[in-house]
Amino acid sequence: MASSAAHPAFPSRYGTSAMGKLPDRSAFGASSQQRGDQQRAERERERLEKERLEREEQNQLSEEQREEIKEAFMLFDLDKDQKIDYHELKVAMKALGFDLPKAEILSILQTHGSPSEPANPNVPHHPRLLLPFAQFQSVMAQRILARDPREEILRAFDLFDEGGKGKINLNDLRRSNDLNVHNSAFPPGWTIFIESQEDIDHDDAVDGQDFHPVSRKSHVRRFRNPTLHGDNFFFSSISSPSNTDFKPATSPTRQIAMMLWATLWWYFHQPKPNPHITTKGLNDHTPEDGKPKGDWRIGIKRDGIFKGRHLLPKLERMGIITSEESCVGESIDDKHGEGWTRMFASERGFWLIDPRIFLFTLSPTTHSPFPGTSPYPSRPASPNRDSFQPSRPDSVGEIPQGPMTPQTQSPSGPFASGSHLPTYYPPPPTLFTFTNNIRHPIRQKPPAQGETFYTRYVPSVGQYLSFRVASLSPKAPPHRGPVSDSTPSFLPPGSGVTQGNLPSIASMTINPSDTDLLHAWMNDPRVDALFAMAGPRPVQEKMLREALNNKHSFPVIGCWDGKPFGFFEIYWVKEDRLGRYLSSHDYGNWDRGFHALVGEQEFRGPHRVKLWMSAMVHYCWLADPRTERVLVEPRTDHQKFIDYLQDVGFYKEREIAFPHKQAALMKIRREGWEAPVL
């Protein structure tokens, strides 16, 4: 039997001490409270230290760097909620010169971001990590300050080092003069990610059930040439000009819409794909020309810049993109934009929308070396992919500069914008009146005398085609639009001729007035045989006066690179004499027609005729979206002109016996028109 000394007694189950007393609970409570206070104090110290470091980092940045960080965030925060998601963070950092992999972007969000909150607590919510502006500012400050100056120098060296020679020569420096110098890692502009989809069967055919282009089974490949339905793109980043030269865009959506329009202009000037569609099991053996045709479309991928919740809906309301899913949809909380994943732009839709809705200029800063007025009016125009050279403000020479004269002359007209925003307005409400017992809509006034109302660069001839209203001025109206850089690229050495002293339309000092042009053209036997308006100068001047005072038509001068080549009249069919020979089913309230003559011999020829003819139709579609038909009534013996009309899409409906001629009634419908001849 063991003694009690060998086996000490077990402690009391209640934890009594050797003295038989319970421990003092207040001691434990005080100790626990102290530890909590210490932890809270430590966290507060860490927070204050973190804020101090962030302030130091911000103070180390220049004012320009801080402004760039803010500008990048605001540009991609399309919801304006002071938070950006993964895609917006990626492109914002790329715009600031940090192209990070996906894992690193996710790490930043997991470390500094916070989960999104549900818009409606009663609806299932899929939280996303969002980065607030303060955290974005801190992250970018750390990365900008951590940049290696040597690495930055090498990156700059690589921009100049053409071909990776390891050295920079004089030609490299000359080439660099074409670049805009600014503080971004990218030139001012935007980066496009474009991809093509191919059929998985590699037979360029679709199943009958998958005829819709978006539903095709395909795999993605690198873009080479346009396809009819298989191309998709999005903007991966935007690099704005330096904020020392230009103010940030007051409307980021307008800025993106302009970039989208310019991108579509480039895309729809590429070689047109085969329009014919092969449907498996239905037309495999049909000859190619007998197969159905499809609209040329390009998909708008909801990625990158287009990831913003409200951006695609705004662009769709502007009309530049569209979708065949014209339903409300079942989703109550459409934060992820499931209803906006099948957006596209079509060639036909692109050419039928007025670009004045999108074109604008950035506002320069106070000390900017760039002009403070909009350089060109926001009229229907298109860029030149090779060069862009403005004409002088008038045909005589530069307007003398004075204290009341702006340093750069802006073209006058209703679409010259001092606010740097589009000045396009939709058609007014329809009101009716009577003319010669004909009830018709009250027409808006045409453009002013000498005003250019249509401009488009034509790549096949390398020139700008423009239309302006004819003028009674005794001097030649100034050309206030772009002209192509059509001077020769090679000049003989030692000739004494340079690119700077070659003559051009912009530098010509003697130009005939519009009345002089009409006098010369109408007295050409070729033109007189069709128009019978030959005679002394007062005959043509009277004709021009009557045309300018006509309420249902207006006279037009066509120009190539500012040089007049022809005379036109654009009229409303309902009030024209043509309308009296037609039934009400043959035309609508807003249908138009035109007369045309080419006076300059150098601008004749089948190709030129198709260019200006399709451009005239294009203007009629753009001028009023209610115009559904364009009519022309050439003499039946003018078969060559009728053939040209048919080449650009007109069809002969019947013949009409006017008192002065037998005419072929030629028509083209908006729904059957695709694009102007390029």
Side-chain angles (χ1 to χ4, degrees):
M1 184 174 176
S3 67
S4 59
H7 298 279
F10 289 101
S12 168
R13 59 182 299 184
Y14 296 104
T16 56
S17 65
M19 301 298 294
K21 297 180 180 179
L22 291 173
D24 186 357
R25 292 181 180 271
S26 62
F28 283 103
S31 176
S32 176
Q33 183 177 355
Q34 289 174 358
R35 284 196 298 271
D37 291 342
Q38 290 173 355
Q39 290 173 355
R40 282 191 293 273
E42 183 64 27
R43 285 196 296 269
E44 181 65 15
R45 281 194 296 271
E46 290 176 355
R47 185 185 67 80
L48 293 174
E49 179 65 16
K50 183 179 179 182
E51 290 181 355
R52 185 185 67 80
L53 292 174
E54 289 177 353
R55 284 196 301 270
E56 288 184 357
E57 290 168 348
Q58 293 296 322
N59 291 334
Q60 292 180 52
L61 295 176
S62 65
E63 183 63 31
E64 189 172 5
Q65 288 173 323
R66 286 195 294 270
E67 188 63 29
E68 282 185 353
I69 293 174
K70 181 180 179 181
E71 183 181 335
F73 186 92
M74 298 303 292
L75 180 62
F76 299 108
D77 177 24
L78 300 178
D79 296 341
K80 303 304 176 187
D81 59 357
Q82 293 294 302
K83 296 177 182 179
I84 55 177
D85 62 11
Y86 166 82
H87 297 279
E88 294 165 341
L89 174 61
K90 184 175 179 65
V91 293
M93 294 190 70
K94 189 171 184 179
L96 291 170
F98 298 95
D99 190 6
L100 304 184
K102 180 178 181 179
E104 204 165 340
I105 296 290
L106 291 175
S107 175
I108 292 174
L109 284 171
Q110 291 165 357
T111 305
H112 304 278
S114 58
S116 60
E117 298 178 357
N120 188 341
N122 300 322
V123 177
H125 174 63
H126 305 284
R128 299 175 298 156
L129 284 175
L130 301 176
L131 190 68
F133 174 66
Q135 280 67 35
F136 176 79
Q137 211 173 17
S138 176
V139 169
M140 295 314 305
Q142 293 173 14
R143 292 186 173 270
I144 289 174
L145 294 174
R147 277 175 169 167
D148 182 1
R150 175 176 173 79
E151 181 182 343
E152 295 294 307
I153 292 173
L154 291 176
R155 285 179 60 192
F157 183 89
D158 290 339
L159 291 175
F160 290 91
D161 182 14
E162 178 74 11
K165 305 181 297 295
K167 56 185 177 181
I168 299 174
N169 56 31
L170 186 58
N171 290 332
D172 294 328
L173 293 175
R174 286 172 177 164
R175 181 178 55 84
S176 70
N177 287 335
D178 296 331
L179 302 175
N180 288 322
V181 180
H182 56 89
N183 298 309
S184 173
F186 299 96
W190 58 100
T191 305
I192 306 165
F193 185 90
I194 184 168
E195 62 187 18
S196 297
Q197 296 180 349
E198 287 182 334
D199 298 328
I200 56 176
D201 299 327
H202 300 285
D203 57 3
D204 197 27
V206 295
D207 296 324
Q209 61 183 358
D210 291 333
F211 188 79
H212 192 285
V214 181
S215 305
R216 300 176 65 176
K217 299 177 180 179
S218 58
H219 74 272
V220 177
R221 63 165 174 81
R222 183 173 62 86
F223 174 79
R224 301 185 188 92
N225 295 305
T227 62
L228 193 64
H229 294 147
D231 298 334
N232 298 276
F233 81 95
F234 65 90
F235 294 164
S236 61
S237 65
I238 297 175
S239 179
S240 298
S242 171
N243 53 22
T244 60
D245 297 329
F246 291 95
K247 301 174 185 177
T250 54
S251 172
T253 302
R254 291 280 189 185
Q255 183 185 25
I256 294 172
M258 179 195 67
M259 296 173 182
L260 179 56
W261 183 88
T263 302
L264 293 173
W265 184 94
W266 165 80
Y267 179 78
F268 288 122
H269 275 76
Q270 300 299 305
K272 192 167 184 176
N274 179 10
H276 298 286
I277 299 175
T278 300
T279 309
K280 291 180 181 177
L282 297 179
N283 63 0
D284 296 340
H285 304 293
T286 303
E288 187 69 14
D289 291 341
K291 293 179 180 179
K293 291 183 178 181
D295 284 337
W296 184 12
R297 298 177 175 181
I298 182 169
I300 310 298
K301 195 170 183 180
R302 194 173 183 274
D303 204 343
I305 304 300
F306 298 145
K307 192 71 173 179
R309 179 183 179 185
H310 300 297
L311 180 59
L312 290 185
K314 288 181 179 179
L315 295 175
E316 193 265 347
R317 284 291 178 267
M318 289 170 132
I320 195 168
I321 63 174
T322 188
S323 171
E324 292 185 354
E325 297 179 353
S326 54
C327 60
V328 176
E330 298 179 4
S331 176
I332 299 176
D333 181 16
D334 195 21
K335 265 198 170 182
H336 299 281
E338 283 82 1
W340 302 91
T341 55
R342 292 189 173 184
M343 308 304 297
F344 65 87
S346 68
E347 179 197 32
R348 189 193 306 267
F350 170 77
W351 287 111
L352 287 176
I353 192 166
D354 196 319
R356 288 176 297 181
I357 301 173
F358 315 109
L359 301 183
F360 69 102
T361 55
L362 293 174
S363 301
T365 58
T366 306
H367 303 290
S368 172
F370 296 94
T373 53
S374 179
Y376 297 100
S378 301
R379 58 178 176 257
S382 58
N384 177 344
R385 70 184 66 186
D386 298 319
S387 61
F388 186 77
Q389 176 184 338
S391 65
R392 289 189 173 188
D394 65 15
S395 59
V396 177
E398 294 289 347
I399 296 177
Q401 302 296 326
M404 301 300 294
T405 308
Q407 293 303 307
T408 297
Q409 294 296 321
S410 280
S412 59
F415 305 115
S417 172
S419 65
H420 303 275
L421 291 174
T423 52
Y424 168 82
Y425 304 100
T430 303
L431 303 174
F432 285 88
T433 188
F434 285 87
T435 301
N436 298 326
N437 297 320
I438 299 173
R439 184 175 182 267
H440 62 85
I442 297 177
R443 310 297 184 183
Q444 279 190 296
K445 289 182 69 66
Q449 290 189 45
E451 182 180 334
T452 299
F453 57 86
Y454 180 95
T455 306
R456 183 167 59 84
Y457 178 71
V458 182
S460 60
V461 294
Q463 292 179 317
Y464 282 91
L465 170 63
S466 62
F467 297 123
R468 63 169 174 82
V469 180
S471 172
L472 280 170
S473 171
K475 296 182 180 180
H479 175 62
R480 299 186 182 275
V483 296
S484 63
D485 185 10
S486 56
T487 55
S489 57
F490 172 78
L491 294 172
S495 62
V497 180
T498 65
Q499 297 284 352
N501 60 27
L502 280 172
S504 65
I505 287 295
S507 63
M508 291 177 65
T509 57
I510 300 178
N511 287 319
S513 67
D514 288 350
T515 306
D516 293 334
L517 288 171
L518 289 175
H519 175 64
W521 292 344
M522 292 299 180
N523 283 280
D524 185 327
R526 174 182 58 83
V527 176
D528 183 51
L530 294 171
F531 286 84
M533 290 298 296
R537 192 177 185 277
V539 173
Q540 293 81 40
E541 183 175 351
K542 179 183 177 182
M543 180 196 74
L544 184 54
R545 289 184 184 277
E546 291 176 349
L548 289 168
N549 287 303
N550 196 315
K551 292 182 179 180
H552 77 270
S553 67
F554 65 95
V556 175
I557 299 293
C559 302
W560 286 106
D561 272 350
K563 183 175 182 179
F565 74 88
F567 177 75
F568 305 85
E569 280 184 327
I570 302 175
Y571 60 84
W572 298 104
V573 172
K574 194 167 188 179
E575 301 101 279
D576 188 75
R577 64 185 175 190
L578 173 61
R580 297 194 288 270
Y581 291 85
L582 304 176
S583 68
S584 59
H585 302 291
D586 290 329
Y587 62 89
N589 282 326
W590 306 99
D591 292 346
R592 305 186 93 151
F594 65 86
H595 304 123
L597 73 87
V598 176
E600 296 297 326
Q601 186 69 26
E602 64 177 297
F603 295 117
R604 296 183 63 198
H607 184 60
R608 295 265 184 182
V609 173
K610 294 175 187 177
L611 292 174
W612 62 252
M613 195 177 283
S614 68
M616 184 60 67
V617 174
H618 187 207
Y619 164 73
C620 292
W621 301 145
L622 293 177
D624 197 309
R626 296 166 293 190
T627 299
E628 293 296 331
R629 306 174 191 86
V630 176
L631 285 67
V632 184
E633 7 81 57
R635 244 169 43 188
T636 53
D637 61 340
H638 199 179
Q639 188 58 46
K640 183 182 291 186
F641 190 77
I642 294 174
D643 292 341
Y644 291 151
L645 288 168
Q646 291 175 329
D647 288 341
V648 298
F650 282 83
Y651 64 93
K652 181 178 178 180
E653 188 170 270
R654 65 176 185 272
E655 293 187 3
I656 298 176
F658 288 105
H660 64 293
K661 68 177 180 180
Q662 184 74 10
L665 179 61
M666 309 295 294
K667 286 186 178 181
I668 187 170
R669 295 178 179 270
R670 179 185 288 264
E671 63 181 358
W673 185 86
E674 292 185 356
V677 178
L678 303 178

